Amino acid sequence: MKDSRTSSSNGNKRKPSDKKWFTGIDPNGVMNNAQRILNTAVEVLEEEIAAGILAAKKIEKKVIDVDEVRSGNAEELMSRIRRDTHDAVDIFLDALSVIANYVNGLSETIEKTKKNGVAKEAPNPVSGYQVPTVKNDLPVKAGESMDITIELSNDNEKPMEVSLRKAALVGPDENKIAAKNIIISPQTFTLKPLSKQKVHIAVKVPVICKPGSYSGLFIDNKNTRICTVVVVDVIK
Amino acid sequence: MQDAVMKSMLSEYAGYALQGIMHIIPDKEPKKYLYDLIADYPTRGGKGFRPGLCIATCRAFGGRLDQALNSATALELFHNAFLVHDDVEDVSYVRRNKPTMHQYNNMGIAVNVGDAMNVLSLKPLLKNKEVLGPALAMKIFEEIEHMVAETVEGQAIELGWRKDNVCRLDDADYMRMILKKTCWYTCIHPVRIGAMIGSCGKVAVDKFNRFGYFMGTAFQIQDDILNLVAEENKYGKEIGGDIIEGKRTLMLIHLFKTCNKKELEKLALFLSDTQADGNHEIAAWIMRLMDKYGSIDHCRKVAKYMAGAALKEFCSVFAALPDSKDKKFIEELIVYMINRDY
């Protein structure tokens, strides 16, 4: 092997013993390039996992025996569906949580305000806190744009760095509104102690977008508790 | 760990899987155009990455070789079935320094042998029930179902790009295709399945997704690079074959974005019919163009970034395990994948 590496007894700390591995990389540009490429890669993985969960849920819906549900033997079936749904949320949250370093000691809340959008709260059965959902008040037509405004508040006495990660919105038949069609403003900012900050989410719906409900999870890069599900209803 | 040691370990893991494969090939007719051909690709000497990752992860988590053997066998046989079909789909001529199956037989026979290999891969998975119990065996079966579905979807994406002669692609498109076509079955699922077996189903295996994804992407990019720059006898396939086949590699996607308009038009024209006469000269021109615009260097860097990210993930998800030969093997394999010349 061209690059031998050392490891500590617990295997946790390692440093390259051979710099040859990095030969040819411009040190000034490497971090930016690497960060950009890895961010792209992680976004792709997240989108695919989310799409897989949605596809699984659709299949689950298809295999529900309606007659059995109506006949009164529904409890076992419903238990199974509840369990599977929780599993799906587990998978989703786990995939998201590994992208961020969990910041302890901060208790933040996310609030939503209504501009063109209306806020709804949805219980999160896994983590014990609520992942809020923001949804456009009126459905938007394919080819048009819409805005949703959320408000973040920092209830702590320490400043809070926020860097929101946007995600593609996944809709019917795995159709997507790509992340590039979404603008978050501001996307990165510092929230002073005991202050609030409005964040605008502008979504341009592609002309070829199929009607239906599109959703995606927007999350802070460092603190997974700062997150919201954005739902956009698209009509013809 | 020396290169020779790594190769020896890979060879050992591959040998276990090959034994498993030979054990499940039926000793009955029709042999000439079916069962005798099933052992062809596996016995040409695969790299052993997939069974290696599965067995090593299982043992790193405290499991035993015999517990992982059925799953490692299934992974390797599925892999070889994909190769037989891929060679038909890509119209490839050489595989591991020998003619591809459809070249020395015909397409119909190759497709049928690939089908049989897929079906036979289910056998060791069913045997898992006896070794691991029905619950864990079913979980592994579900892993394999997902693995195969993702792989064929990834292949469909790439074949579609070629059919529609898509020339406007970006890094994210490539990474999505590679995630589906390569990463799930080469790295993510072998590690997930190994961890499931080694921990008796107690480990939450989703935490290995990013590790396997970064590792698999580094592996695939290196494979694409080798297709252009390797020594043919070591690499085992025709050099430049990906260009002739019109494969949308990261190098080609980089070239799409960096070359000038006139060059892009010529490139698109070539890709619209890569099997036409005289295209070997144009393929050579494309390789020179990739050199001119730094496409290969760019991809080498991306492969290194991905390997670096995989190492970081390794430190995170394997840190709690006690040091062992198998754990060390997994770590070393990351760098080995992007330094290999075959």
Side-chain angles (χ1 to χ4, degrees):
Chain A
M1 184 159 295
K2 291 174 185 172
D3 177 34
S4 64
R5 307 176 82 80
T6 57
S7 64
S8 63
S9 57
N10 65 5
N12 208 13
K13 291 178 182 175
R14 291 166 175 80
K15 64 175 188 177
S17 59
D18 184 350
K19 297 287 170 89
K20 188 165 51 178
W21 202 54
F22 293 101
T23 301
I25 295 179
D26 170 19
N28 295 323
V30 67
M31 288 310 294
N32 285 341
N33 276 336
Q35 194 62 47
R36 180 183 59 78
I37 288 164
L38 293 176
N39 280 346
T40 304
V42 170
E43 279 177 17
V44 166
L45 181 65
E46 286 169 17
E47 286 175 16
E48 286 303 316
I49 288 175
I53 292 169
L54 286 173
K57 285 169 79 175
K58 281 177 189 166
I59 290 170
E60 186 70 59
K61 280 182 188 172
K62 282 180 191 170
V63 300
I64 292 175
D65 185 336
V66 176
D67 289 334
E68 189 179 355
V69 172
R70 285 175 181 164
S71 71
N73 296 326
E75 191 49 39
E76 187 187 344
L77 190 62
M78 290 313 294
S79 297
R80 183 164 61 86
I81 294 166
R82 283 189 208 106
R83 191 182 65 239
D84 288 352
T85 306
H86 285 208
D87 286 349
V89 174
D90 270 340
I91 293 167
F92 193 48
L93 288 181
D94 194 33
L96 289 164
S97 63
V98 294
I99 67 169
N101 296 317
Y102 207 86
V103 180
N104 290 319
L106 292 174
S107 61
E108 312 79 12
T109 57
I110 184 164
E111 296 175 5
K112 295 120 341 249
T113 57
K114 181 176 173 183
K115 188 175 180 184
N116 293 329
V118 62
K120 289 179 184 173
E121 293 290 342
N124 182 331
V126 175
S127 54
Y129 66 92
Q130 291 185 326
V131 177
T133 301
V134 290
K135 187 176 180 182
N136 55 333
D137 196 13
L138 295 171
V140 62
K141 288 183 179 175
E144 293 182 348
S145 299
M146 50 87 54
D147 292 315
I148 291 176
T149 302
I150 61 174
E151 191 169 76
L152 289 170
S153 68
N154 182 6
D155 297 336
N156 286 302
E157 296 187 352
K158 291 178 185 173
M160 189 168 70
E161 299 294 328
V162 178
S163 176
L164 292 170
R165 180 192 295 276
K166 58 188 178 181
L169 305 180
V170 182
D173 299 327
E174 296 185 39
N175 279 281
K176 289 175 187 167
I177 299 174
K180 66 183 178 186
N181 289 348
I182 299 166
I183 297 171
I184 302 176
S185 177
Q187 192 162 0
T188 303
F189 54 90
T190 303
L191 205 50
K192 291 176 184 171
L194 306 173
S195 69
K196 294 182 178 181
Q197 170 73 52
K198 285 185 178 177
V199 176
H200 303 284
I201 301 171
V203 181
K204 180 168 176 18
V205 181
V207 179
I208 55 167
C209 198
K210 284 187 179 177
S213 187
Y214 290 72
S215 61
L217 188 68
F218 287 52
I219 193 164
D220 181 65
N221 277 322
K222 290 183 179 172
N223 187 347
T224 54
R225 282 181 177 264
I226 302 176
C227 62
T228 183
V229 175
V230 174
V231 181
V232 175
D233 284 337
V234 177
I235 55 173
K236 277 188 181 175
Chain B
M1 197 181 284
Q2 302 279 320
D3 262 11
V5 178
M6 175 57 80
K7 276 187 180 171
S8 159
M9 288 184 76
L10 281 167
S11 172
E12 182 187 333
Y13 294 128
Y16 294 137
L18 182 58
Q19 276 180 8
I21 290 170
M22 300 307 283
H23 190 66
I24 57 172
I25 297 174
D27 182 16
K28 63 175 186 177
E29 295 296 337
K31 289 188 176 178
K32 188 177 178 187
Y33 294 118
L34 186 63
Y35 292 126
D36 284 351
L37 297 177
I38 285 174
D40 178 10
Y41 274 30
T43 52
R44 291 187 185 193
K47 298 178 191 76
F49 286 147
R50 295 157 192 86
L53 275 174
C54 179
I55 294 168
T57 308
C58 169
R59 295 204 292 209
F61 272 87
R64 302 187 313 270
L65 169 66
D66 64 291
Q67 292 175 304
L69 215 46
N70 284 322
S71 303
T73 300
L75 287 167
E76 188 64 5
L77 193 50
F78 268 120
H79 166 56
N80 280 278
F82 290 147
L83 293 183
V84 172
H85 282 175
D86 277 3
D87 287 342
V88 173
E89 292 156 13
D90 298 341
V91 200
S92 299
Y93 295 94
V94 182
R95 168 72 61 186
R96 295 172 185 162
N97 287 318
K98 290 181 182 174
T100 51
M101 191 174 291
H102 68 274
Q103 285 293 320
Y104 76 83
N105 268 298
N106 63 39
M107 271 193 203
I109 285 172
V111 169
N112 195 48
V113 169
D115 288 344
M117 292 165 87
N118 276 321
V119 173
L120 276 181
S121 304
L122 301 177
K123 277 202 169 193
L125 296 175
L126 295 171
K127 282 188 182 175
N128 264 341
K129 204 166 82 172
E130 299 157 24
V131 182
L132 305 172
L136 191 49
M138 182 50 79
K139 275 189 177 178
I140 292 168
F141 203 91
E142 286 170 356
E143 291 285 309
I144 297 286
E145 184 271 333
H146 179 263
M147 177 192 88
V148 177
E150 289 290 334
T151 307
V152 295
E153 285 176 18
Q155 180 74 348
I157 290 171
E158 204 203 357
L159 291 172
W161 287 346
R162 283 192 257 172
K163 181 176 185 297
D164 298 337
N165 199 23
V166 176
C167 296
R168 292 187 67 175
L169 295 164
D170 56 32
D171 290 355
D173 296 318
Y174 175 82
M175 287 170 186
R176 190 181 312 280
M177 184 271 288
I178 286 306
L179 166 64
K180 295 173 88 67
K181 185 186 149 184
T182 303
C183 299
W184 285 110
Y185 102 93
T186 300
C187 296
I188 302 175
H189 279 298
V191 170
R192 285 172 63 109
I193 291 169
M196 276 179 166
I197 299 168
S199 70
C200 300
K202 288 174 190 160
V203 168
V205 290
D206 288 331
K207 66 180 177 184
F208 300 108
N209 290 354
R210 286 213 303 176
F211 167 69
Y213 172 45
F214 290 141
M215 190 186 206
T217 306
F219 166 84
Q220 184 60 55
I221 294 171
Q222 178 66 10
D223 213 52
D224 293 345
I225 292 169
L226 287 175
N227 191 274
L228 297 182
V229 302
E231 291 175 40
E232 188 157 326
N233 61 337
K234 279 189 183 173
Y235 181 56
K237 287 192 271 190
E238 64 266 66
I239 298 304
D242 285 354
I243 293 178
I244 297 291
E245 292 164 13
K247 273 191 183 172
R248 266 51 177 176
T249 61
L250 194 58
M251 277 85 71
L252 192 61
I253 290 169
H254 180 267
L255 189 58
F256 286 153
K257 291 193 290 189
T258 50
C259 68
N260 65 40
K261 196 180 169 187
K262 200 174 172 184
E263 289 164 337
L264 183 60
E265 283 170 2
K266 187 175 174 183
L267 201 51
L269 185 65
F270 162 79
L271 292 169
S272 66
D273 182 13
T274 56
Q275 300 300 316
D277 288 342
N279 271 354
H280 277 79
E281 287 76 19
I282 301 179
W285 169 76
I286 291 172
M287 286 178 77
R288 289 197 297 276
L289 218 52
M290 285 177 173
D291 188 46
K292 173 184 167 186
Y293 286 105
S295 302
I296 298 171
D297 285 344
H298 165 75
C299 293
R300 280 202 174 103
K301 284 177 190 170
V302 175
K304 285 175 184 172
Y305 298 155
M306 289 295 165
L311 275 171
K312 181 179 169 292
E313 285 295 316
F314 173 87
C315 292
S316 165
V317 294
F318 285 89
L321 298 179
D323 284 344
S324 66
K325 189 180 165 190
D326 288 291
K327 180 179 166 184
K328 190 75 182 162
F329 163 81
I330 298 164
E331 183 189 7
E332 299 281 352
L333 188 60
I334 301 164
V335 182
Y336 184 79
M337 276 184 166
I338 61 162
N339 280 336
R340 68 197 163 94
D341 57 2
Y342 71 103

